């Protein structure tokens, strides 16, 4: 655990370094210390993919800062050293360009059942032609049984040959020689020895997968090998990322189960790979991912609902044990995802604790909560750019607080006052309608409003003793 806290201290120092860069004058010694710390933690990916445009079955090298070749696990898990892993490319063509999203899957031989082909099929079938242009799928066959790997590669290449040729699907393998000794590990949490071995190897499997994917796209999402996807999941992910523009985040969650649907910036993958390697025998992967998020100063979970990925396997990859876990927030069919363009949010209501106004406009599972609102109180959204709105939907209250709704309210849209250019305020409002039973919904706004909309506001039209929860504000643009 000493290593863990030392690591936390290093990440905190790295964050302090970001603040130092904003200062105009810093002593030479301070700059030198910060620089050395930065070099100790920062890993620059030098991803090189070799080969021609045919299916490749050869050994290739993928490395990070590879001045020297290290082949021992001690070197691999050292933050100040270089990572140099020689991967076998089991099925791949050269990546012609960087994609928007890489989907990473690690798979091993199961005692019962095999869902990998169905998972890959779901990814491609649930994506449109345009979406397929922006994704790449990397499958790490992480089992040490070479015969099983060969059989799986045959099945994958027969079923998904056109995706491999198009550069959308790569199948890789990290040889056993790069793994640490997986016997005699620490038995934290009283886990049986074989369970510790399984989860420790799984951490290394994912670390090598992350390492490989560090420079293939802008974003990376982690899946298991027994997952079903929702329709147009990429479009949903892009909308969520766009709605969080200007917001700091490390991990976005598109499923509440384990490490399914966890999304990262690709520039964070080298650090995450090192992190999993350093603490591979300490705890399961999903616990480590939570610690990684905390260390990079994202204290709260940012989870999108409905979930985009569902666990479909019946048997676990560990000993073939039954695993009936399901995400009850998952929706498979195409659902109407709001655009929620970038905006600033204001309210003069008395906010309760940390249930800030911005949470009502977010795509994640959070809400605004204010104390008893009075007549004349407002909740205002000012858009970054004027927009054409097709549809607006506002929901108040929750299942467990059904009376904390807006009992009497209205919704207006407006534009900036043309005569007050220096002060950007909305003076010209037009009322679209009243709330009914705590909810508001209107379609074809663009046919009813003769101007581009700069702002929107919710008005309290009668004082109420109940508190107010604004659960979600959804806006669809033209």
């Amino acid at each position: 655990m000493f290593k863990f806290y030392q690591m936390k201290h290093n990440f905190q120092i790295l964050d302090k370094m970001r603040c130092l860069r904003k200062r105009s004058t810093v002593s030479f010694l301070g700059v030198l210390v910060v620089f050395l710390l930065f070099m100790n933690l920062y890993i620059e990916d030098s991803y090189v993919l070799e080969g021609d445009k045919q299916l490749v079955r050869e050994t290739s090298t993928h490395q990070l800062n590879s001045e020297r070749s290290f082949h021992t696990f001690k070197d691999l898990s050292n933050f100040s050293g270089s990572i140099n892993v020689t991967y076998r490319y089991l099925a791949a063509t050269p990546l012609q360009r960087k994609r928007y999203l890489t989907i990473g899957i690690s798979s091993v031989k199961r005692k019962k059942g095999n869902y990998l082909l169905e998972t890959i099929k779901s990814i491609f079938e649930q994506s449109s032609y345009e979406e397929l242009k922006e994704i790449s799928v990397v499958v790490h066959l992480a089992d040490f049984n070479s015969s099983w790997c060969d059989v799986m590669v045959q099945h994958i290449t027969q079923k998904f040959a056109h995706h491999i040729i198009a550069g959308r699907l790569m199948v890789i393998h990290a040889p056993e020689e790069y793994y640490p000794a997986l016997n005699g590990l620490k038995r934290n949490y009283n886990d049986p020895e074989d369970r510790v071995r399984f989860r420790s190897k799984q951490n290394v499997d994912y670390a090598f997968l992350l390492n490989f994917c560090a420079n293939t796209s802008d974003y990376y999402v982690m899946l298991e090998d027994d997952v079903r996807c929702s329709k147009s999941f990429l479009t949903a992910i892009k909308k969520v990322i766009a709605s969080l523009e200007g917001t700091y985040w490390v991990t976005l969650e598109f499923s509440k189960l384990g490490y399914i649907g966890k999304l990262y910036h690709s520039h964070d993958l080298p650090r995450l790979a090192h992190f999993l390697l350093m603490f591979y025998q300490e705890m399961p992967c999903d616990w480590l991912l939570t610690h990684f998020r905390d260390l990079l100063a994202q204290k709260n979970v940012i989870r999108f609902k409905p979930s985009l990925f569902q666990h479909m396997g019946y048997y676990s990859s560990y000993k073939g044990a039954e695993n009936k876990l399901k995400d009850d927030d998952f929706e498979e069919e195409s659902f109407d995802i709001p655009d929620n363009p970038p905006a600033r949010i204001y309210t003069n209501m008395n906010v309760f604790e940390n249930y800030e106004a911005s949470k009502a406009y977010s795509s994640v599972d959070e809400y605004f909560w204010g104390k008893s609102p009075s007549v004349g109180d407002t909740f205002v959204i000012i858009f970054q750019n004027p927009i054409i709105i097709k549809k607006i939907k506002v929901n108040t209250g929750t299942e467990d607080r059904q009376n904390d709704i807006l009992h009497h309210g209205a919704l207006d849209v407006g534009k900036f006052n043309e005569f007050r250019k220096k002060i950007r305020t909305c003076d010209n409002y037009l009322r679209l309608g009243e709330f009914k039973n705590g909810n508001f919904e209107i379609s074809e706004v663009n046919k009813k409003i003769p101007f581009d909309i700069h702002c929107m506001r919710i008005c309290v039209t009668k004082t109420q003793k109940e508190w107010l929860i604004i659960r979600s504000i959804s806006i669809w643009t033209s």
Side-chain angles (χ1 to χ4, degrees), residues 121 140 179 184 195 309 330 334 385 393 423 425 456 473:
K121 179 183 176 183
H140 179 205
Y179 281 73
R195 175 68 180 175
F309 306 101
F330 173 74
S334 178
N385 297 301
K393 185 177 181 181
I423 304 175
T425 58
M456 186 179 96
I473 299 173

Side-chain angles (χ1 to χ4, degrees), residues 198-265:
F198 173 82
R199 63 171 168 79
S200 298
K201 179 184 177 296
Q202 192 174 58
N203 285 332
V204 183
D205 294 342
Y206 277 116
F208 289 161
L209 175 61
L210 293 164
N211 177 38
F212 181 90
C213 296
N215 200 36
T216 58
S217 60
D218 298 321
Y219 301 96
Y220 172 91
V221 68
M222 184 178 289
L223 295 187
E224 294 183 11
D225 63 351
D226 53 356
V227 167
R228 193 167 74 249
C229 306
S230 69
K231 191 76 173 176
S232 298
F233 64 89
L234 175 64
T235 297
I237 288 173
K238 291 181 73 173
K239 285 190 175 185
V240 171
I241 291 173
S243 72
L244 294 172
E245 183 181 349
T247 303
Y248 176 77
W249 60 267
V250 177
T251 310
L252 301 183
E253 302 189 8
F254 294 91
S255 170
K256 65 182 180 183
L257 299 179
Y259 31 85
I260 296 173
K262 304 302 182 279
L263 185 129
Y264 300 89
H265 296 276

Side-chain angles (χ1 to χ4, degrees), residues 354-385:
N354 63 337
Y355 293 87
E356 295 97 349
S358 60
K359 293 185 176 181
Y361 191 66
S362 168
S363 300
V364 299
D365 188 21
E366 297 179 310
Y367 53 80
F368 162 77
W369 200 0
K371 298 179 182 180
S372 306
S374 302
V375 61
D377 284 352
T378 58
F379 187 104
V380 181
I381 301 173
I382 299 179
F383 301 108
Q384 185 173 304
N385 297 301

Side-chain angles (χ1 to χ4, degrees), residues 143-154:
D143 205 283
F144 296 151
N145 185 327
S146 58
S147 297
W148 176 83
C149 290
D150 290 341
V151 170
M152 288 307 301
V153 170
Q154 278 189 337

Side-chain angles (χ1 to χ4, degrees), residues 8-238:
K8 184 172 183 178
H9 179 64
N10 283 344
F11 273 103
Q12 289 171 342
I13 292 174
L14 185 60
D15 282 340
K16 290 179 182 177
M17 182 203 68
R18 294 172 181 162
C19 297
L20 283 172
R21 279 187 289 190
K22 296 178 181 178
R23 298 179 182 177
S24 56
T25 58
V26 183
S27 69
F28 174 78
L29 182 58
V31 171
L32 181 60
V33 170
V34 169
F35 176 76
L36 291 174
L37 286 168
F38 178 76
M39 292 302 294
N40 185 51
L41 285 176
Y42 181 74
I43 306 157
E44 181 179 359
D45 182 70
S46 60
Y47 174 61
V48 178
L49 189 62
E50 297 178 351
D52 53 25
K53 294 185 178 181
Q54 301 174 353
L55 295 184
V56 180
R57 286 178 174 273
E58 62 183 21
T59 299
S60 300
T61 299
H62 174 259
Q63 60 188 15
L64 305 172
N65 264 352
S66 55
E67 294 180 3
R68 297 179 295 167
S69 295
F70 295 115
H71 292 272
T72 68
F73 185 75
K74 182 179 179 182
D75 293 319
L76 288 176
S77 60
N78 186 349
F79 265 71
S80 62
S82 301
I83 292 181
N84 184 355
V85 181
T86 301
Y87 295 89
R88 286 181 60 206
Y89 286 80
L90 304 180
T93 55
L95 191 65
Q96 297 297 311
R97 60 181 176 80
K98 203 171 183 178
R99 306 294 173 98
Y100 182 84
L101 179 70
T102 295
I103 301 159
I105 303 170
S106 181
S107 185
V108 295
K109 183 179 180 181
R110 295 170 181 257
K111 291 191 175 181
K112 291 182 181 180
N114 189 305
Y115 312 98
L116 177 59
L117 296 178
E118 285 301 311
T119 299
I120 299 172
K121 179 183 176 183
S122 179
I123 292 170
F124 292 134
E125 283 190 347
Q126 298 290 64
S127 302
S128 68
Y129 177 73
E130 291 302 317
E131 289 171 329
L132 288 175
K133 295 178 182 178
E134 298 189 77
I135 66 173
S136 63
V137 180
V138 178
V139 177
H140 179 205
L141 295 182
D143 205 283
F144 296 151
N145 185 327
S146 58
S147 297
W148 176 83
C149 290
D150 290 341
V151 170
M152 288 307 301
V153 170
Q154 278 189 337
H155 291 324
I156 292 170
T157 53
Q158 287 171 5
K159 197 171 181 68
F160 305 107
H162 59 296
H163 291 298
I164 296 171
I165 293 169
R168 286 190 288 267
L169 175 61
M170 289 185 281
V171 185
I172 64 168
H173 174 75
E176 186 175 0
E177 66 189 85
Y178 291 96
Y179 281 73
L182 295 171
N183 296 313
L185 302 174
K186 287 191 281 186
R187 291 182 58 185
N188 294 342
Y189 317 108
N190 248 353
D191 281 347
E193 190 173 334
D194 59 345
R195 175 68 180 175
V196 172
R197 184 183 190 279
F198 173 82
R199 63 171 168 79
S200 298
K201 179 184 177 296
Q202 192 174 58
N203 285 332
V204 183
D205 294 342
Y206 277 116
F208 289 161
L209 175 61
L210 293 164
N211 177 38
F212 181 90
C213 296
N215 200 36
T216 58
S217 60
D218 298 321
Y219 301 96
Y220 172 91
V221 68
M222 184 178 289
L223 295 187
E224 294 183 11
D225 63 351
D226 53 356
V227 167
R228 193 167 74 249
C229 306
S230 69
K231 191 76 173 176
S232 298
F233 64 89
L234 175 64
T235 297
I237 288 173
K238 291 181 73 173

